[in-house]
Every structure is written in C-alpha cells, then in structure tokens.
C-alpha cells in the first residue's frame, strides 16, 4: 500500500481496512474522460481482495472506462465533528480508502453470479430465501433497462487509507457550547 502525505492519519491496519470496505455502502468511481474528471457514486462489494460494482452496460461510464480503464475508487465515511477550544483545531472524524487499478468487465457467468449474490448479501441481507440462480443473472446481464447489465472488477494496484478516529468526549452535539469567547 502506498503511503499518504499526512502520516498521522495514515491507516495501515489491514483488518480495519478490510472491515471498513466490507461495511461501507457507497463508493465513488473516479474516471478520466479525455481531459475531464468524471466521478460516479456506486454501490459496491469488496471480496477476496477485489472491488466489484455493476450497472447498465451502456452509457457514459462504460464508454469512459473502455477508452481509459484506469480508475480510482474512493470509499469514505464521516463520523462527526471533533470539537476543540481553538477553532482552527476543530476536525472531522472519518475513514477513507482509495483503490487504484483498472476496471475490467467480467464475462464469466460464475464470477458475475457470485458478485451479484454478494451484493444482495450486503445490501438486503436475509431478504431472499434462496441463492441467486445463474439463469437469472444471465437474463439480467442481457435484458435489464433495455440493455445489458455489466459487472466490473478492479484488482487494486495500490491502495491508501486514512482515518481520524472518533474522540467520544470531543464529538460535537447539537446545542453544545464551549462557553468560551475567542
């Protein structure tokens, strides 16, 4: 994993990073569309050291990825504001991970079925009483929204992680007043 500039915030705890990537619900897929940035918020799963997402098989995102598969996928959660008597030292509690690699569409039906089942397990756990059948995934990949649905994989080339942990006694709550005049 590459390091971050602000060393005090760098997280190198692989278990914490893995747990965070499994738990967080939204990530931001960063692409380069010619000379312009293009960022798309997505549901995703992190499994077996890889990142997966899915969506319509046509459209701008897939065109940009086919022109340039290099991506940066960022997952971040904000946990609140950390107060301090000195305004310039007020901070935010958060965790973030940036994953760099190439996005590639998945052609293998078994892998696509596994990934979509993992998405169901993450976003609606226990809702369905049986596993996702491959036949359903094959139809889904070929006919949803008038076009194919594409499952994509990013194998991380490198990752960075940062955090500013919650400091329970300093977390801002509505109505909180430091009682100080600065």
């Amino acid at each position: 994993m590459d390091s971050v500039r602000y060393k005090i915030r760098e997280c190198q705890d692989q278990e914490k990073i893995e747990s965070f990537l499994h738990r967080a619900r939204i990530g931001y897929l960063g692409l380069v569309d010619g000379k312009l940035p293009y960022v798309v918020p997505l549901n995703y799963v992190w499994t077996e050291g890889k990142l997966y997402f899915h969506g319509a098989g046509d459209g701008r995102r897939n065109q940009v990825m086919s022109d340039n598969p290099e991506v940066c996928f960022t997952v971040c959660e904000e946990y609140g504001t950390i107060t301090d008597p000195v305004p310039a030292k007020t901070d935010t509690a958060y965790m973030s991970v940036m994953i760099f690699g190439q996005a590639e569409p998945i052609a293998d039906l078994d892998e696509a079925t596994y990934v979509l089942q993992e998405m169901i397990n993450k976003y609606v756990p226990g809702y369905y009483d049986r596993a996702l059948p491959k036949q359903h995934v094959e139809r889904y990949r070929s006919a949803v929204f008038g076009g194919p649905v594409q499952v994509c994989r990013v194998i991380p080339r490198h990752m960075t992680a940062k955090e500013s942990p919650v400091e329970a006694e300093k977390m801002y709550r509505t109505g909180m007043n430091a009682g100080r005049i600065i």
Side-chain angles (χ1 to χ4, degrees), residues 134-156:
K134 279 194 234 183
Q135 297 81 4
H136 178 80
V137 173
E138 186 59 44
R139 283 192 309 272
Y140 183 65
R141 290 195 319 172
S142 62
V144 170
F145 307 119
V149 167
Q150 188 175 61
V151 178
C152 294
R153 161 184 59 227
V154 177
I155 299 172

Side-chain angles (χ1 to χ4, degrees), residues 113-144:
T113 302
Y114 170 76
V115 168
L116 293 173
Q117 181 65 57
E118 288 296 304
M119 288 199 147
I120 288 169
N121 295 345
K122 178 178 182 176
Y123 291 97
V124 288
Y127 183 76
Y128 297 101
D129 57 2
R130 61 187 173 124
L132 190 61
K134 279 194 234 183
Q135 297 81 4
H136 178 80
V137 173
E138 186 59 44
R139 283 192 309 272
Y140 183 65
R141 290 195 319 172
S142 62
V144 170

Side-chain angles (χ1 to χ4, degrees), residues 22 42 54 106:
H22 283 288
L42 297 170
H54 79 297
I106 297 172

